[in-house]
Amino acid sequence: MMQFLAYIIAYPFLWIISILPFRLLYILSDVTYFFIYTLIGYRKKTVRLNLELALPHLNEKERREVEKKFYHHFCDSLFEMIKTLNIRDEEIKKRFTFTNFDLVHEYEAKGKSVVVLIGHYGSYEWLLVMNRYLTTHQGFGIYKVIRNKYFNRLVKKIRGKFNARLIGMKSTIPTMRKNERDGVLGFYGFITDQSPKIKSAYYWSDFFGMEVPVHVGGEIMAKKLGMNIMFARVEKTARGYYKCTYIPVEENIKDIPNFEITDRFMAMLEEQIKQKPEYYLWTHNRFKHRKNNPPHFKA
C-alpha cells in the first residue's frame, strides 16, 4: 500500500515535468542542483572520495570544479530521464546522435546477436534510442529491478518508449538462452562498470590503478552463445546533446583470453573519464571493494 501511495503522489509531478520545454527543464535542474549540492550535499562524501582516489593528479580546487560540474550534469540527467516520458521522436533523435550507426547495421547483417558494453558515462539512458534504428534485431537492456513495483513499472515504461525490452539481472541468462533457442536476434546492453556485490565478484579489473570487481556477464554470454560484441562510447557535446560511437571487437572473440575484452572496455572508459571526468556517475561507491588501496586523501 505504501509503495502505491508513494507512486500516485510522485507520478503527477513527474508527468508535469516531462511536458516542460527543455529551457524550463534546465532551469528546474539548476534549482535542484542548488538544493542537492549546496543545501543537502547528496552523497557528497562518496563523490569526493571517488574523485580523490581516481584523480589524485588534480589539486583540491580542481577536483571541486569537477565535483560542481558533475552535480550539474547529474541533475540534468535526472530531468532528461523524466523528460523521456513525453519526448517526441524527432526531438530525441536530434539530441542523441550516432557517428557510425552503419556499423550496427553491419552487425545485424551477420545474423548474430550482439552484446554492447556500456559505462555510466554521458547519457546511458538515452542510448536506448538506438532501438528506433534497428531493422532486424531487437534491443534489450539489462537493469537492476526496483523494489517498488510501481516505480519499476514506470522505469520500464520510460525506457520502453524507445522499443527497448528490459531484462532484470537475475533473468538475463535464461532470457538470452531462450531468445537464442527461439531465433530471436538482439542487441543486449550491459552496463559493465557498476560494482557487483562482493559475494558475487567473479573478476577484478584495473580501474584508475585499483583492482575493483566488475560485471563480466556480457563477455561471458557473448562467448558462450557465439555473439558479436562492441563498446558504446557516449560523449556529451552540449547541454542536452550527446553522440555515440560504436567500437567493434575482433570477430573471433572466443580466441581472445577470458576477461581481456572487459579489461579493454574498462581501460577505454577510464581514458574517456580522464578527459572529461564531470560526465561520469561519481555517486556510485565504485571503489568500495578495491584490493590495492592507494594513499587516502582527506576529504
Side-chain angles (χ1 to χ4, degrees):
M1 182 62 183
M2 291 302 296
Q3 288 188 354
F4 180 66
L5 183 61
Y7 174 76
I8 62 173
I9 292 174
Y11 184 77
F13 293 100
L14 297 176
W15 191 87
I16 291 172
I17 291 171
S18 73
I19 63 175
L20 295 176
F22 274 95
R23 180 175 58 84
L24 293 180
L25 197 76
Y26 289 129
I27 291 175
L28 191 56
S29 176
D30 290 338
V31 173
T32 303
Y33 163 82
F34 174 76
F35 279 97
I36 73 166
Y37 179 71
T38 307
L39 296 184
I40 300 173
Y42 171 72
R43 306 212 73 175
K44 191 179 286 187
K45 288 184 178 179
T46 298
V47 171
R48 287 187 176 176
L49 179 58
N50 283 341
L51 290 175
E52 290 170 351
L53 291 171
L55 307 173
H57 60 286
L58 299 182
N59 60 42
E60 185 174 345
K61 181 180 179 182
E62 291 170 329
R63 288 198 298 269
R64 290 295 180 271
E65 286 301 312
V66 172
E67 177 181 295
K68 292 175 183 177
K69 290 179 181 178
F70 158 70
Y71 274 98
H72 274 295
H73 170 70
F74 178 71
C75 293
D76 283 358
S77 297
L78 290 177
F79 284 99
E80 287 166 0
M81 180 181 178
I82 297 170
K83 179 66 177 176
T84 309
L85 267 172
N86 281 294
I87 198 169
R88 292 168 295 138
D89 271 9
E90 57 268 27
E91 183 72 43
I92 188 65
K93 289 179 178 179
K94 179 180 69 175
R95 289 178 172 271
F96 197 105
T97 59
F98 300 87
T99 63
N100 61 340
F101 206 83
D102 55 320
L103 180 65
V104 173
H105 292 314
E106 287 179 20
Y107 273 50
E108 282 188 296
K110 294 173 183 176
K112 296 167 67 175
S113 290
V114 181
V115 164
V116 183
L117 301 186
I118 307 163
H120 283 95
Y121 191 91
S123 178
Y124 45 92
E125 292 286 349
W126 279 2
L127 178 60
L128 291 170
V129 76
M130 72 170 288
N131 299 294
R132 291 292 197 191
Y133 300 93
L134 296 177
T135 54
T136 59
H137 286 48
Q138 296 180 20
F140 298 89
I142 315 303
Y143 84 116
K144 185 177 181 180
V145 177
I146 300 173
R147 290 183 180 180
N148 186 312
K149 63 180 180 180
Y150 302 102
F151 281 107
N152 185 67
R153 193 179 302 159
L154 177 62
V155 168
K156 293 182 72 172
K157 178 182 178 181
I158 291 174
R159 294 172 176 172
K161 185 179 177 67
F162 301 137
N163 297 333
R165 299 186 182 184
L166 296 188
I167 307 173
M169 294 179 70
K170 294 182 179 180
S171 304
T172 302
I173 295 176
T175 300
M176 292 179 74
R177 289 188 182 279
K178 183 178 185 302
N179 285 346
E180 205 64 15
R181 289 195 303 269
D182 296 343
V184 177
L185 299 176
F187 275 76
Y188 296 90
F190 282 80
I191 295 184
T192 302
D193 62 319
Q194 189 169 358
S195 181
K197 293 180 179 179
I198 192 64
K199 64 180 180 180
S200 305
Y202 188 74
Y203 179 70
W204 299 65
S205 183
D206 181 85
F207 195 47
F208 288 97
M210 293 166 276
E211 285 187 77
V212 295
V214 294
H215 286 290
V216 293
E219 177 179 348
I220 290 175
M221 293 306 296
K223 286 187 173 183
K224 283 189 174 181
L225 299 179
M227 298 178 173
N228 285 314
I229 193 165
M230 60 168 59
F231 306 148
R233 179 187 170 94
V234 178
E235 300 172 74
K236 187 171 187 175
T237 57
R239 194 175 197 183
Y241 290 87
Y242 305 86
K243 69 177 180 180
C244 174
T245 300
Y246 288 106
I247 301 170
V249 178
E250 285 87 355
E251 286 292 306
N252 300 316
I253 63 170
K254 288 187 177 181
D255 296 335
I256 300 175
N258 288 338
F259 312 123
E260 183 178 313
I261 292 173
T262 299
D263 285 339
R264 285 190 208 173
F265 168 77
M266 295 300 290
M268 292 174 58
L269 178 62
E270 179 182 326
E271 179 186 4
Q272 184 180 17
I273 294 170
K274 286 178 177 178
Q275 293 173 4
K276 291 187 177 180
E278 60 267 30
Y279 300 139
Y280 188 60
L281 187 60
W282 295 108
T283 49
H284 279 186
N285 199 347
R286 190 63 194 85
F287 304 108
K288 181 179 180 180
H289 302 299
R290 60 190 182 276
K291 280 184 178 179
N292 44 331
N293 195 347
H296 177 69
F297 296 85
K298 186 176 180 181

